[in-house]
Amino acid sequence: MLDQTLQRHSIKTQIPPLNLFSITILFFFIIFLTNNIRSTKSHAFVYSGCSQEKFQPDSPYQTNLNSMLSSITSSSYTTLYNSFTLGTDPSAVSPPEGAVYGLYQCRGDLNTKDCSACIASSINQIVLLCPHSYGATLQLDGCFVRYEHVDFLGKPDTTLVHKKCSDRLLNDAEFLRRRDAVLDDLRGAVGFRVSSAGSVEGYTQCFGDVTGGDCSSCLGDAVEQVRSLCGSAAAADVFLAQCYVRYWESGYYNNPSDSSNEDDVGKTVAIIVGVSAGVAVFVILLSFCKKAFG
């Protein structure tokens, strides 16, 4: 009789297993998060910049900036480039307190789906990197976002904002000949262009607010700076304020050893994204455990 009582008690207190539906939901949720982390990694961080001047929370500038960032996100679903101006007064001598000017540009070989995903990642990161800054820029591998308190749209600017030269050098004449052929071809681009010569590949782009003549001038400066700053580097990136030039020996950017050069800010953003995803998984697991053990 005692053994039967213990057996019944054991059956009553047996821990109920997670049902098949719950396990399936959890499985697909983890896959969803994993895919999104991979997508975030595909939008590799290149550089960012934040103005020292800050605006006050809940100010007219923040209101207009939030509206602009929302418009940028929406526009990226339909076009690879757009510019915006909010809170301006044409009759004013200086920009009103709430005036904000901005643009975004996706790489010319992206479709609008990939563009919108890249821009969404950019907006999330620029808010983290430049809180309350009157001006900010963020360049990812596939897209660019910039906003300012003063009007910069369409005004020629060939300021060097970022460069990256590979440590590995290739001094052989054949490589240099092919590299120069690619750079000379990219120099003549208007907008976005891809070029290759043997083992060397590259691409370039001007931003959408730049005229054809200013684009040519910007790219000419960028090509000369690539040669002077990076010499015979196996890969090089030079970003000016309104255009950029990138070239590499085939396969160079797929080399795992190059990942050590990743910018620390990019690593920080990736860590934030990864931790957020981990917390989300933990919350879901905790919820299921409460249902199973409760």
Side-chain angles (χ1 to χ4, degrees), residues 94 131 167 191 254 266:
S94 59
D167 293 331
N254 295 324

Side-chain angles (χ1 to χ4, degrees), residues 252-279:
Y252 179 85
Y253 283 126
N254 295 324
N255 187 343
S257 64
D258 188 47
S259 62
S260 61
N261 294 325
E262 183 184 31
D263 192 284
D264 288 339
V265 178
K267 290 181 180 179
T268 301
V269 174
I271 290 171
I272 292 172
V273 173
V275 170
S276 299
V279 170

Side-chain angles (χ1 to χ4, degrees), residues 3-294:
D3 289 343
Q4 292 177 349
T5 302
L6 289 175
Q7 186 178 12
R8 286 196 299 269
H9 179 71
S10 176
I11 293 173
K12 287 181 180 179
T13 58
Q14 187 178 17
I15 297 173
L18 291 174
N19 60 58
L20 180 60
F21 176 76
S22 299
I23 293 174
T24 302
I25 292 295
L26 179 60
F27 175 74
F28 281 108
F29 182 77
I30 293 174
I31 290 177
F32 172 78
L33 283 177
T34 303
N35 288 337
N36 275 274
I37 292 172
R38 287 194 187 121
S39 176
T40 301
K41 288 181 179 179
S42 71
H43 305 313
F45 179 91
V46 178
Y47 72 85
S48 67
C50 314
S51 69
Q52 295 298 313
E53 188 181 6
K54 305 289 185 178
F55 60 82
Q56 293 299 316
D58 301 320
S59 65
Y61 187 84
Q62 183 172 43
T63 299
N64 288 332
L65 176 59
N66 290 343
S67 179
M68 174 175 289
L69 294 180
S70 178
S71 297
I72 287 175
T73 301
S74 299
S75 178
S76 66
Y77 284 94
T78 59
T79 183
L80 300 183
Y81 164 81
N82 210 342
S83 62
F84 303 86
T85 302
L86 277 75
T88 60
D89 181 0
S91 63
V93 176
S94 59
E97 179 186 355
V100 56
Y101 306 83
L103 62 78
Y104 75 90
Q105 175 83 65
C106 286
R107 205 173 64 219
D109 59 341
L110 297 185
N111 57 42
T112 52
K113 179 181 179 181
D114 291 335
C115 176
S116 62
C118 188
I119 290 298
S121 179
S122 297
I123 298 300
N124 290 336
Q125 293 185 47
I126 205 169
V127 171
L128 291 173
L129 294 171
C130 303
H132 303 131
S133 292
Y134 266 113
T137 59
L138 177 62
Q139 175 74 61
L140 301 186
D141 190 67
C143 61
F144 173 81
V145 173
R146 179 182 179 184
Y147 59 83
E148 302 283 352
H149 181 47
V150 295
D151 186 7
F152 66 92
L153 298 172
K155 298 180 179 179
D157 187 354
T158 56
T159 304
L160 176 67
V161 293
H162 175 78
K163 74 174 180 69
K164 179 180 177 182
C165 311
S166 69
D167 293 331
R168 186 158 63 95
L169 305 179
L170 295 173
N171 290 308
D172 64 281
E174 184 61 23
F175 166 76
L176 294 176
R177 184 188 68 78
R178 291 174 176 175
R179 191 279 310 269
D180 288 343
V182 167
L183 291 179
D184 289 341
D185 184 44
L186 295 179
R187 182 199 292 268
V190 176
F192 177 77
R193 177 178 292 182
V194 178
S195 183
S196 64
S199 62
V200 181
E201 304 169 16
Y203 63 85
T204 190
Q205 186 164 24
C206 290
F207 297 147
D209 63 324
V210 180
T211 65
D214 290 337
C215 178
S216 296
S217 177
C218 188
L219 292 178
D221 285 355
V223 165
E224 293 309 312
Q225 296 214 41
V226 165
R227 289 192 173 110
S228 64
L229 296 173
C230 296
S232 59
D237 303 338
V238 166
F239 288 79
L240 306 187
Q242 293 182 315
C243 69
Y244 59 83
V245 171
R246 314 181 81 178
Y247 80 82
W248 62 94
E249 184 193 23
S250 297
Y252 179 85
Y253 283 126
N254 295 324
N255 187 343
S257 64
D258 188 47
S259 62
S260 61
N261 294 325
E262 183 184 31
D263 192 284
D264 288 339
V265 178
K267 290 181 180 179
T268 301
V269 174
I271 290 171
I272 292 172
V273 173
V275 170
S276 299
V279 170
V281 171
F282 175 77
V283 170
I284 295 297
L285 284 172
L286 184 61
S287 174
F288 280 122
C289 288
K290 284 183 177 180
K291 291 181 180 179
F293 292 94

